Amino acid sequence: MKIKKSKHVHHDRGYTPVVNCKLTSRRLVCGTETDIQGVAVAVAHPQKVDIEQMAHDISHATTATPTDVKLVWDALRTVTTDALSHGHRVQLDGLGSLTMELSSHTGSTPPTGKDVKISGIRFRADKHLLDRLADVKFQVEGKVRQPLSAPELADALYEHFETHDDISVREFVRISHYATSTSYQKLNDYVAHGEMERVPRVNGCFRPTKGNFGR
């Protein structure tokens, strides 16, 4: 298979792409004892590139047909899944690597082999890929909300626990507008002070102890 010289090959672009992104409606506080702040943003483009579009683009950039590309993709998907199922790391040169992420929520120490489950697939980008994307520019839209003060957070948690038995780290982030790491630290502080406890066998989930937050 030969590579064609084509304007459709994205890495030969002669312009700087601009990506629209949006604020996630919160200003993040990084660390409970620091003034360092940042703003969380996310790509706002609704369009996704699927295998149909990629097969079309690759066909224009090479001598392969769209059908050839799809057949290779099916084979790549199969061998990648097989490699991951054997615990291997899959290295995609120029893109990154794939590895299984595991967890155990049974509370046993140490866990047995039966307690361990796959929680996700981790993709670690290759430095070459990051370098090729370094020239991308971003246009940000949206408003920023400040993180809640201590009294505001207490009121928000009281309101949350009127209708919920527990709270996850993700829900805490949404309510407080703190960074994820700071939210987890704050929840652990509540546990240390006896105001909350961890929900058994549920990772990253907390509930108030009796008499706290209106419960």
Side-chain angles (χ1 to χ4, degrees):
M1 183 176 65
K2 297 181 180 179
I3 303 295
K4 299 177 183 177
K5 291 184 178 180
S6 171
K7 63 181 180 180
H8 295 282
V9 181
H10 296 297
H11 59 256
D12 288 336
R13 60 177 181 257
Y15 63 95
T16 300
V18 177
V19 175
N20 291 328
C21 54
K22 60 183 178 180
L23 300 177
T24 58
S25 301
R26 65 181 185 273
R27 181 178 295 280
L28 303 179
V29 176
C30 306
T32 56
E33 304 297 331
T34 179
D35 293 330
I36 298 176
Q37 296 185 349
V39 175
V41 294
V43 175
H45 203 299
Q47 183 178 348
K48 66 178 181 180
V49 178
D50 57 17
I51 188 60
E52 291 288 339
Q53 182 63 48
M54 293 179 68
H56 176 78
D57 292 344
I58 293 173
S59 177
H60 277 76
T62 68
T63 58
T65 67
T67 301
D68 292 334
V69 175
K70 292 178 184 178
L71 289 172
V72 172
W73 170 253
D74 287 341
L76 176 63
R77 181 174 54 191
T78 299
V79 298
T80 298
T81 303
D82 184 63
L84 289 171
S85 70
H86 285 81
H88 299 158
R89 182 180 69 176
V90 177
Q91 181 68 42
L92 304 175
D93 291 344
L95 292 179
S97 60
L98 299 171
T99 53
M100 285 194 296
E101 286 191 334
L102 308 176
S103 64
S104 174
H105 302 316
T106 63
S108 60
T109 306
T112 68
K114 294 182 179 180
D115 299 331
V116 178
K117 305 294 182 182
I118 182 170
S119 59
I121 301 296
R122 179 183 179 186
F123 173 76
R124 182 166 184 170
D126 190 285
K127 183 179 183 301
H128 179 74
L129 174 62
L130 298 177
D131 290 342
R132 301 298 281 270
L133 296 174
D135 64 336
V136 175
K137 304 300 180 183
F138 299 94
Q139 180 175 314
V140 183
E141 298 179 352
K143 296 181 180 180
V144 178
R145 293 181 60 184
Q146 296 289 344
L148 300 184
S149 64
E152 291 172 335
L153 180 56
D155 290 340
L157 290 174
Y158 176 85
E159 182 177 344
H160 175 84
F161 288 126
E162 282 189 318
T163 56
H164 297 77
D165 292 328
D166 50 43
I167 187 169
S168 66
V169 176
R170 179 176 296 182
E171 289 172 328
F172 191 92
V173 169
R174 178 181 56 81
I175 291 173
S176 67
H177 309 301
Y178 283 94
T180 301
S181 59
T182 305
S183 296
Y184 196 79
Q185 182 178 341
K186 290 283 289 184
L187 287 165
N188 282 324
D189 288 343
Y190 285 126
V191 172
H193 295 139
E195 298 173 281
M196 286 192 188
E197 62 184 6
R198 295 180 181 84
V199 178
R201 295 182 294 278
V202 181
N203 190 36
C205 197
F206 300 76
R207 64 190 179 194
T209 54
K210 188 175 181 179
N212 288 301
F213 302 107
R215 299 307 300 267

